[in-house]
Amino acid sequence: ATPPAAPALPTPPGKPAPPQPGPWCASPGPPPTMWEPNGTGPALQVNVLSYNLFWWHLFGIQGGAGGSAGKLINKGGHPPFDFVGFQECEDPVRVMTDAGVAADYEIYQGEHAICMGYRHAAWKLMARGQADVAEDQPKQYYGRRSAQWMRLRHTDTGKFVLFVNHHGPLPLNSGGVCGGKATAHNILKIIAENGEDGDAVILLGDFNQVPQSPTGLELQTRLTKVFSGVFMGGIDNIFTNVKPPYVSSRNLGPGGSDHDAISAMLQLGPSLSPPPAKPAAPAAKPVPKNRGTCACDCKWAKKPKGCDRPDDSSCCWQQCCAGDQDNAAGVAVHVLK
């Protein structure tokens, strides 16, 4: 017979009870540090797309709406997208076929209905994977949430990119059962464990969290927000370790989804030069209190908008525009005091 289990020993007086295990996704402590992208070599512009496809409705109920999502991708992909990240995605080949570009991309269907792909003519895949980072709260539960990643090398320049796609937990802005900071930490851990020093990091997706949420704010301690959509206050986002300015960022519209597709183009290598600063306006000259004596023909000042020009500090402007024009003769002499 199996002997009975020994009773648990009571906690000695004055000694705190051992901590109870928290949720699987808890991540205490500071987030991992983040490296700078390699800024040497030729400049390379990289175009990325994030798009929640609203699959259950757009494809499940509307049957794809005549390929509306693909048409949006085709229209917005000029120049072509280097990387695409889809959320609520159950058949990425169908979407890219509707866009007319399926032959140009390597596409991967991930768990939890997220998909990602890259343009194989320009990039070589070095590694890829996926890991859970969060879980929905019971009151709005669909399951665990993950981050899908791939590390790639540009075939012409040799530059490396770690590309990450994420669909975040519910309810909105809650961070799921482990909270927003833990979700951000878990995403950053995936980046730290799978990227290498000098990689350009591009993280995008439907986070179900706005940039001002705990998840968004914690991510921004290590990455820079490039762009946000407008749906639900901005839950679709693009983050990077590439410093601004950026070449472009665009809201491409919904294309039949409830979310807008968003895109951004970043420059890797030498930083994109900021636009030249506008020259400072010349300092206004002090207006003299005593402008002396002058003989002025004030007929010009009586014309419509005659005195709309700025005060030029002259005796005649003071006489014709700030004096008593109704009583002025055609030519008058005034001594200003």
Side-chain angles (χ1 to χ4, degrees), residues 25-36 130-134 145-149 162-166 179-197 199-204 207 213-225 238-243:
C25 50
S27 182
T33 58
M34 184 58 55
W35 56 80
E36 295 287 333
Q130 182 170 342
D132 291 342
V133 295
R145 304 297 180 129
S146 65
Q148 186 182 28
W149 62 270
L162 185 72
F163 178 57
V164 185
N165 177 35
H166 172 59
K181 281 192 173 184
T183 298
H185 287 195
N186 290 330
I187 294 171
L188 291 168
K189 284 178 182 177
I190 287 177
I191 293 172
E193 290 168 359
N194 297 289
E196 295 187 16
D197 187 39
D199 289 0
V201 174
I202 302 172
L203 164 66
L204 51 67
F207 289 74
S213 68
T215 298
L217 293 174
E218 194 71 1
L219 287 172
Q220 289 173 86
T221 66
R222 298 295 186 262
L223 301 170
T224 301
K225 188 196 80 171
I238 302 173
F239 298 93
T240 185
N241 66 342
V242 178
K243 301 303 181 187

Side-chain angles (χ1 to χ4, degrees), residues 65-216:
S68 60
K71 291 173 182 176
L72 178 148
I73 294 168
N74 180 281
K75 183 178 179 181
H78 302 285
F81 297 113
D82 291 277
F83 311 121
V84 295
F86 299 131
Q87 308 85 43
E88 295 190 37
C89 168
E90 297 182 13
D91 187 351
V93 174
R94 176 180 177 178
V95 176
M96 299 303 274
T97 299
D98 288 344
V101 295
D104 300 332
Y105 289 82
E106 292 291 337
I107 301 288
Y108 300 99
Q109 174 74 57
E111 297 179 354
H112 312 311
I114 56 177
C115 311
M116 68 193 317
Y118 70 95
R119 191 164 61 92
H120 56 67
W123 297 88
K124 180 180 179 181
L125 180 68
M126 310 305 293
R128 69 182 181 92
Q130 182 170 342
D132 291 342
V133 295
E135 188 171 4
D136 293 339
Q137 293 183 3
K139 60 184 175 182
Q140 200 171 355
Y141 191 84
Y142 291 90
R144 291 192 177 191
R145 304 297 180 129
S146 65
Q148 186 182 28
W149 62 270
M150 55 175 64
R151 185 170 185 262
L152 307 107
R153 179 176 62 84
H154 189 251
T155 52
D156 288 344
T157 66
K159 296 184 184 301
F160 288 88
V161 168
L162 185 72
F163 178 57
V164 185
N165 177 35
H166 172 59
H167 190 193
L170 292 169
L172 292 179
N173 300 316
S174 69
V177 296
C178 288
K181 281 192 173 184
T183 298
H185 287 195
N186 290 330
I187 294 171
L188 291 168
K189 284 178 182 177
I190 287 177
I191 293 172
E193 290 168 359
N194 297 289
E196 295 187 16
D197 187 39
D199 289 0
V201 174
I202 302 172
L203 164 66
L204 51 67
D206 167 13
F207 289 74
N208 278 321
Q209 327 288 314
V210 299
Q212 299 79 27
S213 68
T215 298

